[in-house]
Amino acid sequence: GEDVEQSLFLSVREGDSSVINCTYTDSSSTYLYWYKQEPGAGLQLLTYIFSNMDMKQDQRLTVLLNKKDKHLSLRIADTQTGDSAIYFCAEKGPGNQGGKLIFGQGTELSVKP
Amino acid sequence: KAGVTQTPRYLIKTRGQQVTLSCSPISGHRSVSWYQQTPGQGLQFLFEYFSETQRNKGNFPGRFSGRQFSNSRSEMNVSTLELGDSALYLCASSLNRGEGYTFGSGTRLTVV
């Protein structure tokens, strides 16, 4: 089945690291994505990882992929108040559903000064 | 490089009416997907077009339809609007149906 799960809320202090977790069910997924959504805006692609990778780093963002446990995480180093937003994990649909993204419910990150 | 452009940004319609939303993908992107976002159901896939052909369709009634033109621009249409169709409709484009889907800012549809 297709299902992506995320915790709903995360609160951190400015300057700390944030870790947002996600689990997915489709072991054949080839791409996994992290998107950010600010109030009243669309989705901003933060980063994505191909399923044959374990880790991807892009400036303050680190993505870790554990294929065995179907677990994906996004670490934001030195979290700033401007990082407050909803973060969505998504997996690319399998096989002939390649153009479909399956999203989690989103994790609302609150960064306190 | 221009991003994904969706028009209009906001729309208010009455129950029973129909609506057409437009999406212009990033230049060169041939895949366009549509999503509905609501507080209760989250982000749900509507359909995907690639090279003017519908490649995938989500679990939405036939009142939801779409098309893609030869320049890759896409439109979606919702007929016989219901209150429950009130949502943010997001369009995304991709070069090759896989890497990095880029989303537009969305069209917020309110049905009254």
Side-chain angles (χ1 to χ4, degrees), chain B residues 49-84:
Chain B
Y49 288 87
F50 186 81
S51 295
E52 300 179 66
T53 303
Q54 187 180 89
R55 299 300 178 101
N56 274 308
K57 191 176 192 312
N59 294 324
F60 280 82
R63 300 184 297 107
F64 291 81
S65 62
R67 58 179 175 168
Q68 187 180 34
F69 302 95
S70 58
N71 62 357
S72 293
R73 190 177 72 85
S74 177
E75 288 181 347
M76 69 163 279
N77 184 77
V78 188
S79 62
T80 322
L81 283 165
E82 300 177 0
L83 295 179

PDB file of all heavy atoms in Angstrom, chain B residues 49-84:
ATOM      1  N   TYR B  49       0.045  14.860 -16.403  1.00  0.00           N
ATOM      2  CA  TYR B  49       0.124  14.890 -17.853  1.00  0.00           C
ATOM      3  C   TYR B  49       1.578  14.927 -18.287  1.00  0.00           C
ATOM      4  O   TYR B  49       2.415  15.574 -17.657  1.00  0.00           O
ATOM      5  CB  TYR B  49      -0.617  16.108 -18.407  1.00  0.00           C
ATOM      6  CG  TYR B  49      -2.109  15.962 -18.292  1.00  0.00           C
ATOM      7  CD1 TYR B  49      -2.780  16.341 -17.133  1.00  0.00           C
ATOM      8  CD2 TYR B  49      -2.849  15.391 -19.320  1.00  0.00           C
ATOM      9  CE1 TYR B  49      -4.135  16.173 -17.003  1.00  0.00           C
ATOM     10  CE2 TYR B  49      -4.218  15.217 -19.200  1.00  0.00           C
ATOM     11  CZ  TYR B  49      -4.848  15.608 -18.038  1.00  0.00           C
ATOM     12  OH  TYR B  49      -6.191  15.431 -17.912  1.00  0.00           O
ATOM     13  N   PHE B  50       1.855  14.204 -19.338  1.00  0.00           N
ATOM     14  CA  PHE B  50       3.193  14.187 -19.915  1.00  0.00           C
ATOM     15  C   PHE B  50       3.039  14.142 -21.423  1.00  0.00           C
ATOM     16  O   PHE B  50       2.371  13.253 -21.949  1.00  0.00           O
ATOM     17  CB  PHE B  50       3.972  12.972 -19.406  1.00  0.00           C
ATOM     18  CG  PHE B  50       5.407  12.934 -19.838  1.00  0.00           C
ATOM     19  CD1 PHE B  50       6.367  13.673 -19.173  1.00  0.00           C
ATOM     20  CD2 PHE B  50       5.798  12.156 -20.919  1.00  0.00           C
ATOM     21  CE1 PHE B  50       7.695  13.649 -19.569  1.00  0.00           C
ATOM     22  CE2 PHE B  50       7.125  12.131 -21.319  1.00  0.00           C
ATOM     23  CZ  PHE B  50       8.064  12.869 -20.646  1.00  0.00           C
ATOM     24  N   SER B  51       3.646  15.109 -22.090  1.00  0.00           N
ATOM     25  CA  SER B  51       3.533  15.194 -23.552  1.00  0.00           C
ATOM     26  C   SER B  51       2.088  15.088 -24.013  1.00  0.00           C
ATOM     27  O   SER B  51       1.750  14.281 -24.898  1.00  0.00           O
ATOM     28  CB  SER B  51       4.379  14.091 -24.216  1.00  0.00           C
ATOM     29  OG  SER B  51       5.741  14.306 -23.960  1.00  0.00           O
ATOM     30  N   GLU B  52       1.243  15.887 -23.391  1.00  0.00           N
ATOM     31  CA  GLU B  52      -0.173  16.058 -23.764  1.00  0.00           C
ATOM     32  C   GLU B  52      -1.052  14.846 -23.453  1.00  0.00           C
ATOM     33  O   GLU B  52      -2.231  14.837 -23.824  1.00  0.00           O
ATOM     34  CB  GLU B  52      -0.313  16.410 -25.253  1.00  0.00           C
ATOM     35  CG  GLU B  52       0.399  17.698 -25.642  1.00  0.00           C
ATOM     36  CD  GLU B  52       0.250  18.007 -27.122  1.00  0.00           C
ATOM     37  OE1 GLU B  52      -0.886  18.275 -27.548  1.00  0.00           O
ATOM     38  OE2 GLU B  52       1.268  17.968 -27.839  1.00  0.00           O
ATOM     39  N   THR B  53      -0.510  13.848 -22.780  1.00  0.00           N
ATOM     40  CA  THR B  53      -1.279  12.638 -22.473  1.00  0.00           C
ATOM     41  C   THR B  53      -1.430  12.497 -20.967  1.00  0.00           C
ATOM     42  O   THR B  53      -0.468  12.703 -20.226  1.00  0.00           O
ATOM     43  CB  THR B  53      -0.570  11.387 -23.032  1.00  0.00           C
ATOM     44  OG1 THR B  53      -0.396  11.547 -24.433  1.00  0.00           O
ATOM     45  CG2 THR B  53      -1.375  10.130 -22.754  1.00  0.00           C
ATOM     46  N   GLN B  54      -2.614  12.133 -20.519  1.00  0.00           N
ATOM     47  CA  GLN B  54      -2.790  11.862 -19.096  1.00  0.00           C
ATOM     48  C   GLN B  54      -2.140  10.525 -18.782  1.00  0.00           C
ATOM     49  O   GLN B  54      -2.534   9.485 -19.320  1.00  0.00           O
ATOM     50  CB  GLN B  54      -4.278  11.824 -18.726  1.00  0.00           C
ATOM     51  CG  GLN B  54      -4.499  11.722 -17.213  1.00  0.00           C
ATOM     52  CD  GLN B  54      -5.970  11.672 -16.843  1.00  0.00           C
ATOM     53  OE1 GLN B  54      -6.574  10.604 -16.774  1.00  0.00           O
ATOM     54  NE2 GLN B  54      -6.545  12.833 -16.585  1.00  0.00           N
ATOM     55  N   ARG B  55      -1.194  10.526 -17.859  1.00  0.00           N
ATOM     56  CA  ARG B  55      -0.449   9.307 -17.538  1.00  0.00           C
ATOM     57  C   ARG B  55      -0.940   8.653 -16.251  1.00  0.00           C
ATOM     58  O   ARG B  55      -0.783   7.454 -16.057  1.00  0.00           O
ATOM     59  CB  ARG B  55       1.040   9.629 -17.401  1.00  0.00           C
ATOM     60  CG  ARG B  55       1.670  10.180 -18.657  1.00  0.00           C
ATOM     61  CD  ARG B  55       1.573   9.212 -19.826  1.00  0.00           C
ATOM     62  NE  ARG B  55       2.133   9.734 -21.049  1.00  0.00           N
ATOM     63  CZ  ARG B  55       3.330   9.411 -21.506  1.00  0.00           C
ATOM     64  NH1 ARG B  55       4.094   8.585 -20.839  1.00  0.00           N
ATOM     65  NH2 ARG B  55       3.759   9.926 -22.638  1.00  0.00           N
ATOM     66  N   ASN B  56      -1.488   9.460 -15.346  1.00  0.00           N
ATOM     67  CA  ASN B  56      -1.949   8.944 -14.056  1.00  0.00           C
ATOM     68  C   ASN B  56      -3.154   9.736 -13.623  1.00  0.00           C
ATOM     69  O   ASN B  56      -3.261  10.929 -13.929  1.00  0.00           O
ATOM     70  CB  ASN B  56      -0.881   9.158 -12.966  1.00  0.00           C
ATOM     71  CG  ASN B  56       0.116   8.052 -12.935  1.00  0.00           C
ATOM     72  OD1 ASN B  56      -0.248   6.886 -12.877  1.00  0.00           O
ATOM     73  ND2 ASN B  56       1.379   8.393 -12.962  1.00  0.00           N
ATOM     74  N   LYS B  57      -4.020   9.079 -12.865  1.00  0.00           N
ATOM     75  CA  LYS B  57      -5.177   9.786 -12.327  1.00  0.00           C
ATOM     76  C   LYS B  57      -5.382   9.330 -10.889  1.00  0.00           C
ATOM     77  O   LYS B  57      -5.285   8.130 -10.590  1.00  0.00           O
ATOM     78  CB  LYS B  57      -6.413   9.475 -13.162  1.00  0.00           C
ATOM     79  CG  LYS B  57      -7.603  10.361 -12.851  1.00  0.00           C
ATOM     80  CD  LYS B  57      -8.763  10.067 -13.788  1.00  0.00           C
ATOM     81  CE  LYS B  57      -9.881  11.105 -13.724  1.00  0.00           C
ATOM     82  NZ  LYS B  57     -10.324  11.471 -12.388  1.00  0.00           N
ATOM     83  N   GLY B  58      -5.681  10.261 -10.011  1.00  0.00           N
ATOM     84  CA  GLY B  58      -5.959   9.931  -8.620  1.00  0.00           C
ATOM     85  C   GLY B  58      -7.415   9.552  -8.428  1.00  0.00           C
ATOM     86  O   GLY B  58      -8.185   9.459  -9.387  1.00  0.00           O
ATOM     87  N   ASN B  59      -7.782   9.342  -7.178  1.00  0.00           N
ATOM     88  CA  ASN B  59      -9.139   8.884  -6.852  1.00  0.00           C
ATOM     89  C   ASN B  59     -10.092  10.056  -6.660  1.00  0.00           C
ATOM     90  O   ASN B  59     -10.546  10.325  -5.547  1.00  0.00           O
ATOM     91  CB  ASN B  59      -9.112   8.022  -5.590  1.00  0.00           C
ATOM     92  CG  ASN B  59      -8.349   6.740  -5.807  1.00  0.00           C
ATOM     93  OD1 ASN B  59      -8.397   6.149  -6.884  1.00  0.00           O
ATOM     94  ND2 ASN B  59      -7.642   6.297  -4.789  1.00  0.00           N
ATOM     95  N   PHE B  60     -10.356  10.743  -7.719  1.00  0.00           N
ATOM     96  CA  PHE B  60     -11.294  11.858  -7.698  1.00  0.00           C
ATOM     97  C   PHE B  60     -12.416  11.574  -8.687  1.00  0.00           C
ATOM     98  O   PHE B  60     -12.210  10.873  -9.684  1.00  0.00           O
ATOM     99  CB  PHE B  60     -10.581  13.171  -8.065  1.00  0.00           C
ATOM    100  CG  PHE B  60      -9.822  13.775  -6.923  1.00  0.00           C
ATOM    101  CD1 PHE B  60      -8.552  13.327  -6.598  1.00  0.00           C
ATOM    102  CD2 PHE B  60     -10.385  14.777  -6.157  1.00  0.00           C
ATOM    103  CE1 PHE B  60      -7.854  13.869  -5.532  1.00  0.00           C
ATOM    104  CE2 PHE B  60      -9.691  15.339  -5.088  1.00  0.00           C
ATOM    105  CZ  PHE B  60      -8.419  14.879  -4.777  1.00  0.00           C
ATOM    106  N   PRO B  61     -13.606  12.141  -8.417  1.00  0.00           N
ATOM    107  CA  PRO B  61     -14.731  11.893  -9.327  1.00  0.00           C
ATOM    108  C   PRO B  61     -14.484  12.498 -10.705  1.00  0.00           C
ATOM    109  O   PRO B  61     -13.613  13.341 -10.887  1.00  0.00           O
ATOM    110  CB  PRO B  61     -15.916  12.568  -8.625  1.00  0.00           C
ATOM    111  CG  PRO B  61     -15.321  13.496  -7.640  1.00  0.00           C
ATOM    112  CD  PRO B  61     -13.996  12.943  -7.248  1.00  0.00           C
ATOM    113  N   GLY B  62     -15.300  12.078 -11.650  1.00  0.00           N
ATOM    114  CA  GLY B  62     -15.150  12.521 -13.034  1.00  0.00           C
ATOM    115  C   GLY B  62     -15.383  14.016 -13.231  1.00  0.00           C
ATOM    116  O   GLY B  62     -15.077  14.550 -14.291  1.00  0.00           O
ATOM    117  N   ARG B  63     -15.887  14.681 -12.173  1.00  0.00           N
ATOM    118  CA  ARG B  63     -16.079  16.145 -12.283  1.00  0.00           C
ATOM    119  C   ARG B  63     -14.731  16.871 -12.405  1.00  0.00           C
ATOM    120  O   ARG B  63     -14.665  18.011 -12.844  1.00  0.00           O
ATOM    121  CB  ARG B  63     -16.790  16.685 -11.032  1.00  0.00           C
ATOM    122  CG  ARG B  63     -18.150  16.109 -10.767  1.00  0.00           C
ATOM    123  CD  ARG B  63     -18.829  16.772  -9.576  1.00  0.00           C
ATOM    124  NE  ARG B  63     -18.120  16.575  -8.319  1.00  0.00           N
ATOM    125  CZ  ARG B  63     -17.420  17.512  -7.686  1.00  0.00           C
ATOM    126  NH1 ARG B  63     -17.304  18.716  -8.200  1.00  0.00           N
ATOM    127  NH2 ARG B  63     -16.838  17.245  -6.518  1.00  0.00           N
ATOM    128  N   PHE B  64     -13.693  16.181 -12.018  1.00  0.00           N
ATOM    129  CA  PHE B  64     -12.340  16.741 -12.105  1.00  0.00           C
ATOM    130  C   PHE B  64     -11.692  16.235 -13.387  1.00  0.00           C
ATOM    131  O   PHE B  64     -11.587  15.023 -13.611  1.00  0.00           O
ATOM    132  CB  PHE B  64     -11.502  16.309 -10.903  1.00  0.00           C
ATOM    133  CG  PHE B  64     -11.930  16.905  -9.600  1.00  0.00           C
ATOM    134  CD1 PHE B  64     -12.997  16.362  -8.895  1.00  0.00           C
ATOM    135  CD2 PHE B  64     -11.281  18.011  -9.075  1.00  0.00           C
ATOM    136  CE1 PHE B  64     -13.413  16.921  -7.692  1.00  0.00           C
ATOM    137  CE2 PHE B  64     -11.670  18.569  -7.866  1.00  0.00           C
ATOM    138  CZ  PHE B  64     -12.742  18.029  -7.167  1.00  0.00           C
ATOM    139  N   SER B  65     -11.274  17.154 -14.215  1.00  0.00           N
ATOM    140  CA  SER B  65     -10.639  16.767 -15.463  1.00  0.00           C
ATOM    141  C   SER B  65      -9.514  17.736 -15.776  1.00  0.00           C
ATOM    142  O   SER B  65      -9.391  18.796 -15.157  1.00  0.00           O
ATOM    143  CB  SER B  65     -11.648  16.753 -16.613  1.00  0.00           C
ATOM    144  OG  SER B  65     -12.171  18.050 -16.815  1.00  0.00           O
ATOM    145  N   GLY B  66      -8.708  17.362 -16.732  1.00  0.00           N
ATOM    146  CA  GLY B  66      -7.602  18.243 -17.088  1.00  0.00           C
ATOM    147  C   GLY B  66      -7.171  18.012 -18.513  1.00  0.00           C
ATOM    148  O   GLY B  66      -7.699  17.130 -19.217  1.00  0.00           O
ATOM    149  N   ARG B  67      -6.224  18.829 -18.939  1.00  0.00           N
ATOM    150  CA  ARG B  67      -5.618  18.617 -20.245  1.00  0.00           C
ATOM    151  C   ARG B  67      -4.278  19.328 -20.285  1.00  0.00           C
ATOM    152  O   ARG B  67      -3.986  20.207 -19.454  1.00  0.00           O
ATOM    153  CB  ARG B  67      -6.526  19.114 -21.361  1.00  0.00           C
ATOM    154  CG  ARG B  67      -6.898  20.582 -21.286  1.00  0.00           C
ATOM    155  CD  ARG B  67      -7.770  20.948 -22.465  1.00  0.00           C
ATOM    156  NE  ARG B  67      -8.255  22.328 -22.403  1.00  0.00           N
ATOM    157  CZ  ARG B  67      -8.832  22.940 -23.426  1.00  0.00           C
ATOM    158  NH1 ARG B  67      -9.003  22.329 -24.573  1.00  0.00           N
ATOM    159  NH2 ARG B  67      -9.254  24.188 -23.292  1.00  0.00           N
ATOM    160  N   GLN B  68      -3.485  18.960 -21.264  1.00  0.00           N
ATOM    161  CA  GLN B  68      -2.197  19.599 -21.452  1.00  0.00           C
ATOM    162  C   GLN B  68      -2.059  19.967 -22.919  1.00  0.00           C
ATOM    163  O   GLN B  68      -2.418  19.189 -23.807  1.00  0.00           O
ATOM    164  CB  GLN B  68      -1.053  18.678 -21.036  1.00  0.00           C
ATOM    165  CG  GLN B  68       0.315  19.363 -21.065  1.00  0.00           C
ATOM    166  CD  GLN B  68       1.437  18.442 -20.639  1.00  0.00           C
ATOM    167  OE1 GLN B  68       1.408  17.249 -20.900  1.00  0.00           O
ATOM    168  NE2 GLN B  68       2.456  19.005 -19.984  1.00  0.00           N
ATOM    169  N   PHE B  69      -1.521  21.140 -23.159  1.00  0.00           N
ATOM    170  CA  PHE B  69      -1.370  21.641 -24.514  1.00  0.00           C
ATOM    171  C   PHE B  69       0.025  21.334 -25.051  1.00  0.00           C
ATOM    172  O   PHE B  69       0.907  20.902 -24.312  1.00  0.00           O
ATOM    173  CB  PHE B  69      -1.650  23.143 -24.530  1.00  0.00           C
ATOM    174  CG  PHE B  69      -3.026  23.501 -24.021  1.00  0.00           C
ATOM    175  CD1 PHE B  69      -3.226  23.867 -22.694  1.00  0.00           C
ATOM    176  CD2 PHE B  69      -4.135  23.441 -24.855  1.00  0.00           C
ATOM    177  CE1 PHE B  69      -4.477  24.173 -22.211  1.00  0.00           C
ATOM    178  CE2 PHE B  69      -5.398  23.752 -24.385  1.00  0.00           C
ATOM    179  CZ  PHE B  69      -5.574  24.114 -23.068  1.00  0.00           C
ATOM    180  N   SER B  70       0.210  21.606 -26.316  1.00  0.00           N
ATOM    181  CA  SER B  70       1.481  21.264 -26.962  1.00  0.00           C
ATOM    182  C   SER B  70       2.661  22.052 -26.379  1.00  0.00           C
ATOM    183  O   SER B  70       3.802  21.637 -26.476  1.00  0.00           O
ATOM    184  CB  SER B  70       1.398  21.485 -28.476  1.00  0.00           C
ATOM    185  OG  SER B  70       1.057  22.827 -28.753  1.00  0.00           O
ATOM    186  N   ASN B  71       2.377  23.193 -25.762  1.00  0.00           N
ATOM    187  CA  ASN B  71       3.459  23.972 -25.139  1.00  0.00           C
ATOM    188  C   ASN B  71       3.656  23.582 -23.668  1.00  0.00           C
ATOM    189  O   ASN B  71       4.337  24.278 -22.930  1.00  0.00           O
ATOM    190  CB  ASN B  71       3.175  25.469 -25.246  1.00  0.00           C
ATOM    191  CG  ASN B  71       1.901  25.879 -24.521  1.00  0.00           C
ATOM    192  OD1 ASN B  71       1.186  25.033 -23.978  1.00  0.00           O
ATOM    193  ND2 ASN B  71       1.597  27.167 -24.527  1.00  0.00           N
ATOM    194  N   SER B  72       3.043  22.482 -23.273  1.00  0.00           N
ATOM    195  CA  SER B  72       3.114  21.899 -21.924  1.00  0.00           C
ATOM    196  C   SER B  72       2.252  22.617 -20.889  1.00  0.00           C
ATOM    197  O   SER B  72       2.125  22.119 -19.773  1.00  0.00           O
ATOM    198  CB  SER B  72       4.550  21.791 -21.403  1.00  0.00           C
ATOM    199  OG  SER B  72       5.265  20.848 -22.160  1.00  0.00           O
ATOM    200  N   ARG B  73       1.674  23.735 -21.230  1.00  0.00           N
ATOM    201  CA  ARG B  73       0.748  24.378 -20.292  1.00  0.00           C
ATOM    202  C   ARG B  73      -0.418  23.433 -20.025  1.00  0.00           C
ATOM    203  O   ARG B  73      -0.821  22.654 -20.899  1.00  0.00           O
ATOM    204  CB  ARG B  73       0.251  25.693 -20.854  1.00  0.00           C
ATOM    205  CG  ARG B  73      -0.527  26.559 -19.861  1.00  0.00           C
ATOM    206  CD  ARG B  73      -0.941  27.894 -20.480  1.00  0.00           C
ATOM    207  NE  ARG B  73      -2.007  27.737 -21.461  1.00  0.00           N
ATOM    208  CZ  ARG B  73      -3.309  27.693 -21.166  1.00  0.00           C
ATOM    209  NH1 ARG B  73      -3.711  27.750 -19.908  1.00  0.00           N
ATOM    210  NH2 ARG B  73      -4.202  27.571 -22.137  1.00  0.00           N
ATOM    211  N   SER B  74      -0.925  23.502 -18.793  1.00  0.00           N
ATOM    212  CA  SER B  74      -2.000  22.580 -18.428  1.00  0.00           C
ATOM    213  C   SER B  74      -3.155  23.358 -17.807  1.00  0.00           C
ATOM    214  O   SER B  74      -2.972  24.431 -17.219  1.00  0.00           O
ATOM    215  CB  SER B  74      -1.472  21.532 -17.440  1.00  0.00           C
ATOM    216  OG  SER B  74      -2.498  20.659 -17.016  1.00  0.00           O
ATOM    217  N   GLU B  75      -4.315  22.809 -17.963  1.00  0.00           N
ATOM    218  CA  GLU B  75      -5.513  23.333 -17.300  1.00  0.00           C
ATOM    219  C   GLU B  75      -6.210  22.193 -16.589  1.00  0.00           C
ATOM    220  O   GLU B  75      -6.169  21.045 -17.037  1.00  0.00           O
ATOM    221  CB  GLU B  75      -6.483  23.933 -18.326  1.00  0.00           C
ATOM    222  CG  GLU B  75      -6.041  25.226 -18.939  1.00  0.00           C
ATOM    223  CD  GLU B  75      -7.066  25.779 -19.939  1.00  0.00           C
ATOM    224  OE1 GLU B  75      -7.989  25.040 -20.316  1.00  0.00           O
ATOM    225  OE2 GLU B  75      -6.917  26.946 -20.325  1.00  0.00           O
ATOM    226  N   MET B  76      -6.838  22.537 -15.458  1.00  0.00           N
ATOM    227  CA  MET B  76      -7.738  21.573 -14.846  1.00  0.00           C
ATOM    228  C   MET B  76      -9.112  22.214 -14.703  1.00  0.00           C
ATOM    229  O   MET B  76      -9.226  23.427 -14.516  1.00  0.00           O
ATOM    230  CB  MET B  76      -7.232  21.036 -13.510  1.00  0.00           C
ATOM    231  CG  MET B  76      -7.195  22.002 -12.373  1.00  0.00           C
ATOM    232  SD  MET B  76      -7.061  21.135 -10.773  1.00  0.00           S
ATOM    233  CE  MET B  76      -8.754  20.663 -10.484  1.00  0.00           C
ATOM    234  N   ASN B  77     -10.114  21.396 -14.825  1.00  0.00           N
ATOM    235  CA  ASN B  77     -11.485  21.864 -14.786  1.00  0.00           C
ATOM    236  C   ASN B  77     -12.251  21.077 -13.717  1.00  0.00           C
ATOM    237  O   ASN B  77     -12.059  19.860 -13.581  1.00  0.00           O
ATOM    238  CB  ASN B  77     -12.143  21.652 -16.153  1.00  0.00           C
ATOM    239  CG  ASN B  77     -13.533  22.220 -16.197  1.00  0.00           C
ATOM    240  OD1 ASN B  77     -13.722  23.422 -16.315  1.00  0.00           O
ATOM    241  ND2 ASN B  77     -14.519  21.350 -16.110  1.00  0.00           N
ATOM    242  N   VAL B  78     -13.066  21.794 -12.969  1.00  0.00           N
ATOM    243  CA  VAL B  78     -13.949  21.123 -12.020  1.00  0.00           C
ATOM    244  C   VAL B  78     -15.366  21.574 -12.357  1.00  0.00           C
ATOM    245  O   VAL B  78     -15.650  22.782 -12.382  1.00  0.00           O
ATOM    246  CB  VAL B  78     -13.635  21.474 -10.553  1.00  0.00           C
ATOM    247  CG1 VAL B  78     -14.454  20.595  -9.613  1.00  0.00           C
ATOM    248  CG2 VAL B  78     -12.149  21.325 -10.267  1.00  0.00           C
ATOM    249  N   SER B  79     -16.231  20.621 -12.644  1.00  0.00           N
ATOM    250  CA  SER B  79     -17.615  20.959 -12.978  1.00  0.00           C
ATOM    251  C   SER B  79     -18.506  20.707 -11.770  1.00  0.00           C
ATOM    252  O   SER B  79     -18.123  19.994 -10.833  1.00  0.00           O
ATOM    253  CB  SER B  79     -18.081  20.130 -14.180  1.00  0.00           C
ATOM    254  OG  SER B  79     -18.044  18.759 -13.837  1.00  0.00           O
ATOM    255  N   THR B  80     -19.680  21.293 -11.805  1.00  0.00           N
ATOM    256  CA  THR B  80     -20.677  21.114 -10.758  1.00  0.00           C
ATOM    257  C   THR B  80     -20.030  21.198  -9.366  1.00  0.00           C
ATOM    258  O   THR B  80     -20.031  20.244  -8.584  1.00  0.00           O
ATOM    259  CB  THR B  80     -21.410  19.762 -10.916  1.00  0.00           C
ATOM    260  OG1 THR B  80     -21.634  19.478 -12.286  1.00  0.00           O
ATOM    261  CG2 THR B  80     -22.745  19.802 -10.198  1.00  0.00           C
ATOM    262  N   LEU B  81     -19.480  22.347  -9.074  1.00  0.00           N
ATOM    263  CA  LEU B  81     -18.718  22.535  -7.840  1.00  0.00           C
ATOM    264  C   LEU B  81     -19.539  22.231  -6.594  1.00  0.00           C
ATOM    265  O   LEU B  81     -20.732  22.551  -6.511  1.00  0.00           O
ATOM    266  CB  LEU B  81     -18.204  23.973  -7.769  1.00  0.00           C
ATOM    267  CG  LEU B  81     -16.997  24.286  -8.657  1.00  0.00           C
ATOM    268  CD1 LEU B  81     -16.808  25.791  -8.790  1.00  0.00           C
ATOM    269  CD2 LEU B  81     -15.745  23.626  -8.105  1.00  0.00           C
ATOM    270  N   GLU B  82     -18.849  21.620  -5.629  1.00  0.00           N
ATOM    271  CA  GLU B  82     -19.436  21.326  -4.323  1.00  0.00           C
ATOM    272  C   GLU B  82     -18.637  22.074  -3.262  1.00  0.00           C
ATOM    273  O   GLU B  82     -17.478  22.442  -3.482  1.00  0.00           O
ATOM    274  CB  GLU B  82     -19.376  19.822  -4.055  1.00  0.00           C
ATOM    275  CG  GLU B  82     -20.119  18.986  -5.085  1.00  0.00           C
ATOM    276  CD  GLU B  82     -19.976  17.500  -4.837  1.00  0.00           C
ATOM    277  OE1 GLU B  82     -19.292  17.098  -3.871  1.00  0.00           O
ATOM    278  OE2 GLU B  82     -20.563  16.719  -5.635  1.00  0.00           O
ATOM    279  N   LEU B  83     -19.274  22.267  -2.088  1.00  0.00           N
ATOM    280  CA  LEU B  83     -18.580  22.987  -1.013  1.00  0.00           C
ATOM    281  C   LEU B  83     -17.245  22.314  -0.675  1.00  0.00           C
ATOM    282  O   LEU B  83     -16.252  22.984  -0.385  1.00  0.00           O
ATOM    283  CB  LEU B  83     -19.469  23.060   0.232  1.00  0.00           C
ATOM    284  CG  LEU B  83     -20.754  23.863   0.106  1.00  0.00           C
ATOM    285  CD1 LEU B  83     -21.537  23.807   1.423  1.00  0.00           C
ATOM    286  CD2 LEU B  83     -20.490  25.299  -0.293  1.00  0.00           C
ATOM    287  N   GLY B  84     -17.235  20.997  -0.740  1.00  0.00           N
ATOM    288  CA  GLY B  84     -16.036  20.236  -0.393  1.00  0.00           C
ATOM    289  C   GLY B  84     -14.890  20.387  -1.378  1.00  0.00           C
ATOM    290  O   GLY B  84     -13.790  19.906  -1.118  1.00  0.00           O
TER     291      GLY B  84
END
